Amino acid sequence: MKILLFDTTLRDGSQAEGISFSPHDKMRIAQELDRIGLHYIEGGWPGSNPKDNQFFQDARKLKLKNARLVAFGSTRRKGIKAAYDANLKAIIESGVPAACIFGKSWDMHVTHALQTTLEENLAMIRDSVSYLKSKKLEVIYDAEHFFDGFRANHAYALKTVAAAHEAGADMIALCDTNGGCLPTQITAGVQSVRRALPGAILGIHAHNDSGCGVANTLAAVEAGCTLIQGTINGIGERCGNADLTVIIPNLQLKMGYKVISDEQLRWLTEIARSVSEIANLVPNDRQPYVGNSAFAHKGGIHVSAVSRHSATYEHVNPDVVGNQRRIIVSELSGKSSVLLKSNELRLDFSKDKIATQAILDAVKKREMEGYHFEGAEASFQLLVEKALGRYKPYFELKNYHVGLERDGRHEQMICEATVKLSVRGRVNVTAAKGDGPVNALDNALRRALEKFYPSLKGMTLTDYKVRVIDATAGTAAKVRVLIESRDKKDEWTTTGVSTNLIEASWLALVEAIEYKLFKDMRRMS
Ligand SMILES: [Zn+2]
């Protein structure tokens, strides 16, 4: 049984709160989706807004290797001929080889939302499908609210999909538009349609409002659906759509379907993260298969077991989905996790007892000061390099100064930082303004260093967190700052601890930059 993957990140996904793809973003995502071997890419709704029109214009230049581009739309309006319907016309004019149109399956929606008769709705479905077929398009019919409609009036819901099938729809996707179904309801609905339309190729379009988007999709496949609609990272309206980055490995690794090649599957983590980046969303660490924590191990027993045999605490090998095992260093963990962590970071000294002890001592000392290397791997790696005496500083701080001035009348805050650094024997003084003291320090530091290290221009700070770690000490309490940075290739986190917020931020900031320079140099060597 051949499973076809139909991605709607660019259409349904773009309807999610906080997401706005430019036509250029859509082009980038479409290329990624094609690379990973998806079969259909729904690009948007031509004629509905200028951005989607622009995308379909641009997309004519896309050279897709695996995927067919799909335009979305609805069945014709009531009371007119399909040939006169502007939205169907826009689909044809968009130049795509395939169309996905939705129609009503729920009688209440027909009479209340569309305000037409049940008969006219069936005619709208029939006319629209056969019109698009007469224009030589592949037609996927989305049966909107199918499962809710099926529950309310199952004879009518079946009539609507039969109308699409008889008019020549190539595939019929049954939609849980409100996303509230449970797997058993999906199974029952799909089985009924299979009995009624034995020749039809069926699909599933699930939303995640009951937390069952993926489960419902898999249930539908088991019941006989072979077309799967979903989005990368499950982005979509409300609680999102069924997440293809979870569905694909489940089908391939657990259910025995060959949906994409093994090599394409290894791009999964990368595509998940790049879609988050393009969408400007913080990636979900706990996302199955592709999340940063999906293969993270903490705590002595787990870690020593994983180091001996990874299957003890991992359901699949992270490599097959392009993710990686992470060993979290914390006071919970002993020698084996420091060693394993170092292996993961390709720091080979495990046979060197003195080096191992030096690192353990350094970790313990830092932990006493309030450091926590959990989630701050870049700082850990720098600590190891420094403990082993292998780290060569890229710059040396002479001093820094931060000034904050508040203008009483204008209620304006002016923040300025000055840093004095020595780089390759040359002393530099640089000043910069910022939105706050940390931002001003960051700006001054970069301004001082960018002329020596131009790659810093490609690095951005993406997150900044502060925790108070010794609340009993009153104002002398220490704070721990975590700074997350990224460039085109990687994402890394550094940490700083001090009784002074600015100093803790400075320490984390400096390590963020040190790590960036360190990894770039290592890559070159
Ligand atoms: Zn949807």
Coordinates of all heavy atoms in Angstrom, one line a residue, residues 8 11-12 15 72 142 175-177 205-207 229 237-238 240-241, ligand 1:
T8 N 0.6 20.6 4.2 CA -0.2 21.9 4.1 C 0.4 23.0 5.1 O -0.3 23.9 5.5 CB -1.7 21.6 4.3 OG1 -2.4 22.9 4.2 CG2 -2.0 21.0 5.6
R11 N -0.3 26.4 3.8 CA -1.7 26.8 3.7 C -2.3 26.8 5.1 O -2.5 27.8 5.8 CB -2.5 26.0 2.7 CG -3.7 26.6 2.2 CD -4.9 26.4 3.0 NE -5.2 25.0 3.2 CZ -6.1 24.5 4.0 NH1 -6.8 25.3 4.8 NH2 -6.3 23.2 4.2
D12 N -2.6 25.6 5.6 CA -3.2 25.4 6.9 C -2.2 25.9 8.0 O -2.6 26.6 9.0 CB -3.6 24.0 7.2 CG -5.0 23.8 7.7 OD1 -5.7 24.9 7.9 OD2 -5.5 22.7 7.9
Q15 N -2.1 29.5 8.8 CA -3.2 30.1 9.5 C -3.0 30.1 11.0 O -3.9 30.5 11.8 CB -4.5 29.4 9.1 CG -5.0 29.9 7.8 CD -6.1 28.9 7.2 OE1 -5.8 28.2 6.3 NE2 -7.3 29.0 7.7
F72 N -5.2 25.5 -3.2 CA -6.4 25.2 -2.4 C -7.5 26.1 -2.8 O -7.3 27.2 -3.4 CB -6.0 25.4 -0.9 CG -7.0 25.2 0.1 CD1 -7.4 23.9 0.4 CD2 -7.7 26.2 0.7 CE1 -8.4 23.6 1.4 CE2 -8.6 26.0 1.7 CZ -9.0 24.7 2.0
D142 N -11.4 17.7 -0.2 CA -11.4 17.8 1.2 C -12.8 17.8 1.8 O -13.5 18.8 1.6 CB -10.6 19.0 1.7 CG -9.1 18.8 2.0 OD1 -8.6 17.7 1.7 OD2 -8.5 19.7 2.5
C175 N -11.9 15.1 6.7 CA -11.3 16.1 7.6 C -11.9 16.1 9.0 O -13.2 16.2 9.1 CB -11.4 17.5 7.0 SG -10.8 17.6 5.3
D176 N -11.1 16.1 10.0 CA -11.5 16.4 11.3 C -11.2 17.9 11.6 O -10.2 18.2 12.2 CB -10.8 15.5 12.4 CG -11.4 15.8 13.8 OD1 -12.5 16.4 13.9 OD2 -10.6 15.5 14.8
T177 N -12.0 18.7 11.0 CA -11.7 20.2 10.9 C -11.7 20.8 12.3 O -10.8 21.7 12.5 CB -12.8 20.9 10.0 OG1 -12.9 20.1 8.8 CG2 -12.5 22.3 9.8
H205 N -7.3 14.3 7.2 CA -6.8 15.6 7.5 C -7.2 15.8 8.9 O -8.4 16.1 9.2 CB -7.5 16.6 6.6 CG -7.1 18.1 6.8 ND1 -6.3 18.8 6.0 CD2 -7.5 18.9 7.8 CE1 -6.2 20.1 6.5 NE2 -6.9 20.1 7.6
A206 N -6.3 15.7 9.9 CA -6.6 15.8 11.3 C -6.0 17.0 11.9 O -4.9 17.4 11.6 CB -6.1 14.5 12.0
H207 N -6.8 17.6 12.8 CA -6.3 18.7 13.7 C -6.1 18.1 15.1 O -6.5 17.0 15.4 CB -7.3 19.9 13.7 CG -7.1 20.8 12.5 ND1 -6.4 21.9 12.5 CD2 -7.5 20.6 11.2 CE1 -6.4 22.5 11.3 NE2 -7.0 21.7 10.4
Q229 N -2.6 14.2 5.2 CA -2.4 15.7 5.2 C -1.9 16.1 6.6 O -2.4 15.6 7.6 CB -3.7 16.4 4.9 CG -4.2 16.0 3.5 CD -5.4 16.9 3.0 OE1 -5.9 17.7 3.8 NE2 -5.7 16.8 1.8
E237 N -3.9 26.2 12.8 CA -4.9 27.0 13.6 C -5.0 26.3 15.0 O -5.0 25.1 15.1 CB -6.2 26.9 12.9 CG -6.4 28.1 11.9 CD -7.8 27.9 11.2 OE1 -7.9 27.0 10.4 OE2 -8.7 28.7 11.6
R238 N -5.4 27.1 16.0 CA -5.6 26.7 17.4 C -4.5 25.8 17.9 O -3.4 26.2 18.1 CB -7.0 26.0 17.4 CG -8.2 26.8 16.9 CD -9.5 26.1 17.0 NE -9.4 24.7 16.5 CZ -9.7 24.4 15.2 NH1 -10.0 25.3 14.4 NH2 -9.6 23.1 14.8
G240 N -3.2 23.3 16.3 CA -2.4 22.8 15.2 C -3.0 21.7 14.4 O -4.0 21.1 14.7
N241 N -2.2 21.3 13.4 CA -2.6 20.1 12.5 C -1.8 18.9 13.0 O -0.9 19.0 13.8 CB -2.1 20.4 11.1 CG -3.1 21.4 10.4 OD1 -3.2 22.6 10.8 ND2 -3.7 21.0 9.3
Ligands
ZN1 ZN -7.3 22.1 8.4

